[in-house]
Amino acid sequence: TYVDDLCYAGNSDWILNWFHDFIAKKFTVKQSEMGPLEWILGARVRRNLSTGTTSIDQEVAIRRLAEKLGLDKFNPVRSPMVSSSPLLKPDRESRPPTNEFDYLSIVGSLLHIVNFTRPDCAYAVSALARHSSNYDRSHEKAVKRVVQYLYHTSHLAITYVRDGNVFSSEKNTATVWE
């Protein structure tokens, strides 16, 4: 449940109907809002009942963020963070951040993405978030790198597998979490 969005699942039609009736007694439920889950909180949900997989990605949100920052035309990068240059607390001689770059908003968007579907970027975004109250242009550059990496890997999804059968036959599978 998130504010006014509710997803539910069950292993029988009886339990699904019971739950729907229970909720409908307390809240207005539009029939147009019923049916298989396709989107939630900006994430696309794709299910394959025959293979027992559910994949969730945020390709659209990632593309919008990259386009907003003008990073959709840049070349791909191999990792979300450069390990050879750690993020440091800015000193007095560092270049101040630019006014047109909304660091906090972008880091907030990245936090949502990594917490929902992209744990592969969690460390990089965590490091960037630690500098939210004190950052400079080197931090802005690091944020752009994460977005650039996400943009060029936006087809990746987190995939849940029924019965724990781990496989990678789907082209868009990034990681399996059980």
Side-chain angles (χ1 to χ4, degrees):
T1 304
Y2 184 83
V3 185
D4 61 351
D5 291 329
L6 173 69
C7 302
Y8 59 94
N11 58 3
S12 73
D13 288 337
W14 181 87
I15 195 73
L16 293 172
N17 291 332
W18 174 85
F19 186 76
H20 176 265
D21 293 344
F22 177 78
I23 292 295
K25 288 178 186 172
K26 300 188 181 294
F27 304 100
T28 303
V29 179
K30 297 177 186 172
Q31 204 57 33
S32 63
E33 297 172 338
M34 300 297 297
L37 181 64
E38 295 176 359
W39 292 90
I40 180 140
L41 303 175
R44 177 176 44 190
V45 179
R46 291 185 276 186
R47 296 178 59 210
N48 185 328
L49 297 176
S50 63
T51 61
T53 60
T54 301
S55 295
I56 306 171
D57 71 71
Q58 289 178 285
E59 186 172 3
V60 174
I62 291 167
R63 287 190 182 281
R64 284 184 183 152
L65 183 59
E67 289 167 0
K68 174 182 170 183
L69 297 175
L71 298 172
D72 54 325
K73 307 287 189 254
F74 282 64
N75 290 330
V77 292
R78 291 181 170 252
S79 66
M81 184 177 212
V82 177
S83 62
S84 61
S85 59
L87 290 171
L88 303 173
K89 181 178 177 182
D91 58 17
R92 293 179 191 171
E93 297 172 14
S94 65
R95 295 169 55 190
T98 57
N99 290 334
E100 62 273 357
F101 191 83
D102 193 356
Y103 186 86
L104 296 178
S105 175
I106 296 165
V107 169
S109 296
L110 291 173
L111 283 168
H112 174 70
I113 290 167
V114 300
N115 285 326
F116 207 171
T117 61
R118 294 299 300 269
D120 57 321
C121 297
Y123 179 79
V125 175
S126 170
L128 293 165
R130 280 183 240 140
H131 295 277
S132 293
S133 64
N134 193 9
Y135 57 91
D136 62 14
R137 289 191 185 174
S138 68
H139 298 85
E140 290 178 6
K141 184 177 177 182
V143 165
K144 289 178 180 179
R145 181 182 177 94
V146 173
V147 174
Q148 193 174 346
Y149 172 79
L150 284 169
Y151 177 76
H152 290 285
T153 59
S154 63
H155 63 283
L156 296 178
I158 192 161
T159 300
Y160 298 92
V161 181
R162 177 181 59 218
D163 301 328
N165 295 325
V166 178
F167 67 95
S168 60
S169 63
E170 287 189 38
K171 185 177 158 185
N172 65 343
T173 301
T175 308
V176 176
W177 295 86
E178 295 181 35

